[in-house]
Amino acid sequence: MTSAIRAMSSRTKMTIFWLLFGASILLAVFPPLYLAGSGIDSPILGVPFSVAYWIFDALLATGAVWLLWIFENIRGEVGEEPEEVAA
């Protein structure tokens, strides 16, 4: 798995990150999604669905950032300064 992550292109890495992080943003700011979940009364693991929705959204965003950090840590990119673009 480590060698696959190292061989992965930077574009693929960022695509995976933005798919996960973008899904969490979409769940948070797209009204038809969160308004549909607000009227459901059934609990999930003892938590009302509307609260579980936001917990899931927060965990998805946190997981996306955490996964990006793991990928960059394996690839040795943590702590690197971005390359400056010539003007």
Side-chain angles (χ1 to χ4, degrees):
M1 183 71 178
T2 303
S3 61
I5 292 172
R6 285 189 183 130
M8 181 184 304
S9 70
S10 182
R11 185 180 187 96
T12 303
K13 176 190 73 173
M14 292 310 293
T15 300
I16 292 170
F17 169 72
W18 279 110
L19 284 175
L20 294 173
F21 198 71
S24 72
I25 291 171
L26 186 66
L27 287 172
V29 299
F30 192 58
L33 292 176
Y34 63 77
L35 289 177
S38 67
I40 299 173
D41 292 333
S42 59
I44 297 175
L45 300 173
V47 178
F49 182 84
S50 58
V51 175
Y53 178 89
W54 291 111
I55 291 172
F56 172 75
D57 190 37
L59 290 176
L60 183 62
T62 304
V65 173
W66 183 63
L67 189 63
L68 179 64
W69 181 82
I70 288 174
F71 277 24
E72 289 189 346
N73 199 16
I74 288 173
R75 296 164 55 100
E77 298 172 345
V78 175
E80 284 187 7
E81 294 292 325
E83 294 181 23
E84 292 186 24
V85 177

